[in-house]
Amino acid sequence: MKISEKKDTTCLPHLYDDLKLEKEKVLIYVEEGTDSVLISRNKLNKIEKLFPVFKTDFPSNPEESYAGTSWQYYINEKGEKEDITFGSEAGEDSFCLIYTYYLKQKNGEKEFKTERETLIKLYRAINGLYGELNYGGTYFGHQHKRLNASVEYSIYQLKLRKEYYEKKYNFKKQKDLYIKALIQYVADEESQDPYNQDDARDGKGEGSKRGKRLQEKIDILEKLITNYFYLNQVQNFEITYYR
């Protein structure tokens, strides 16, 4: 056991603290009103070295990136074993924020500003729709924080294969079929929900309110899916996280 532990330790990287950089703070957030991470430049440098996935030349999607490694050990200046981990629900939230921070730099913040803002609205509409159907829950709360990482990966896909998404055919028939299928799915789910009942006397109640909120999310999708790229990415996002 001692030999095994010694081998394990000798394979670990040696990272030392920089007191000056410890005082320098970096605020990592997606936008105003979104949960943020305040982290020292000293720790961020360690993260860059321990988690090369954040600055790789060929990024994978957030799920694959997180699954690849969420916990790393290193040896500090005292020769002691320490770790940096994202191994929890809140930790994965932070991982996605940092993932977004680095990939946004790689993609270019100004170049895809319009696409980024549109995708955020679209992905929030999908998350809100399924959150409403399931009466909320922590999953959808965490997804609200993490979906910006998916947005940034979508931007990376656009940057990498822009010509693929510029279809010469009319994509609107595909869009109409997608919206109709989504409306049908919502109607079917609501039809078997015993808690979603209106007052029999006037037809008003929680059912009507829920129906209005659900329709608002669908209206956002109907309005903002203006090209094949948005349609393709929304479908992938929905299948990946909600179906």
Side-chain angles (χ1 to χ4, degrees):
M1 286 297 295
K2 290 182 178 179
I3 293 173
S4 176
E5 289 174 4
K6 186 174 182 180
K7 285 183 179 180
D8 178 56
T9 301
T10 56
C11 292
L12 296 176
H14 290 67
L15 303 178
Y16 304 139
D17 287 319
D18 187 321
L19 296 180
K20 290 183 179 179
L21 293 181
E22 187 62 35
K23 295 179 181 179
E24 182 183 335
K25 303 297 181 182
V26 179
L27 179 62
I28 296 178
Y29 69 95
V30 178
E31 59 185 312
E32 296 294 341
T34 303
D35 282 7
S36 60
V37 175
L38 185 64
I39 189 169
S40 72
R41 175 61 64 181
N42 178 53
K43 185 173 181 180
L44 200 57
N45 286 348
K46 291 181 181 178
I47 288 173
E48 288 181 7
K49 293 175 181 176
L50 293 173
F51 299 87
V53 66
F54 288 128
K55 299 190 74 174
T56 181
D57 291 334
F58 304 101
S60 55
N61 65 53
E63 285 289 301
E64 292 177 357
S65 297
Y66 181 76
T69 176
S70 61
W71 198 316
Q72 292 287 6
Y73 292 97
Y74 68 94
I75 303 299
N76 63 21
E77 58 267 32
K78 297 179 181 179
E80 299 170 340
K81 187 177 179 180
E82 288 192 27
D83 67 85
I84 293 179
T85 177
F86 297 100
S88 66
E89 289 292 339
E92 188 171 353
D93 294 346
S94 297
F95 182 95
C96 287
L97 280 173
I98 296 172
Y99 174 100
T100 304
Y101 172 78
Y102 283 110
L103 191 51
K104 183 185 287 187
Q105 291 178 5
K106 184 179 182 68
N107 288 335
E109 187 167 356
K110 293 182 180 179
E111 184 179 356
F112 297 99
K113 186 174 185 295
T114 299
E115 289 85 353
R116 183 176 290 110
E117 291 175 349
T118 300
L119 285 169
I120 288 173
K121 292 175 182 177
L122 286 169
Y123 290 2
R124 284 184 176 176
I126 290 291
N127 187 56
L129 182 71
Y130 280 89
E132 192 72 54
L133 285 172
N134 290 276
Y135 292 89
T138 57
Y139 176 82
F140 304 100
H142 286 294
Q143 273 298 101
H144 183 81
K145 300 174 185 178
R146 299 172 188 172
L147 63 81
N148 295 84
S150 297
V151 167
E152 215 54 51
Y153 186 71
S154 291
I155 296 295
Y156 172 70
Q157 293 294 315
L158 177 62
K159 185 175 182 178
L160 198 66
R161 306 172 60 203
K162 190 173 183 180
E163 67 283 352
Y164 170 77
Y165 297 107
E166 294 176 345
K167 301 297 185 183
K168 294 181 180 179
Y169 58 72
N170 190 339
F171 83 102
K172 290 186 178 179
K173 288 185 178 180
Q174 292 185 48
K175 172 187 172 180
D176 291 343
L177 288 171
Y178 172 67
I179 296 296
K180 287 178 181 178
L182 196 59
I183 291 172
Q184 187 62 55
Y185 174 76
V186 170
D188 290 344
E189 288 294 301
E190 289 294 273
S191 69
Q192 64 177 21
D193 185 353
Y195 302 104
N196 182 28
Q197 301 296 328
D198 284 333
D199 191 314
R201 293 169 296 179
D202 56 14
K204 297 179 181 180
E206 182 57 28
S208 297
K209 293 177 183 177
R210 276 173 57 79
K212 184 178 181 181
R213 292 194 296 267
L214 289 165
Q215 186 61 49
E216 286 173 352
K217 305 298 187 299
I218 293 173
D219 288 344
I220 291 172
L221 298 172
E222 176 73 39
K223 179 181 178 181
L224 297 182
I225 297 177
T226 56
N227 57 43
Y228 177 79
F229 169 70
Y230 291 139
L231 175 62
N232 176 270
Q233 294 302 304
V234 164
Q235 288 175 315
N236 288 339
F237 179 72
E238 182 191 358
I239 291 171
T240 300
Y241 294 104
Y242 304 97
R243 290 296 186 104

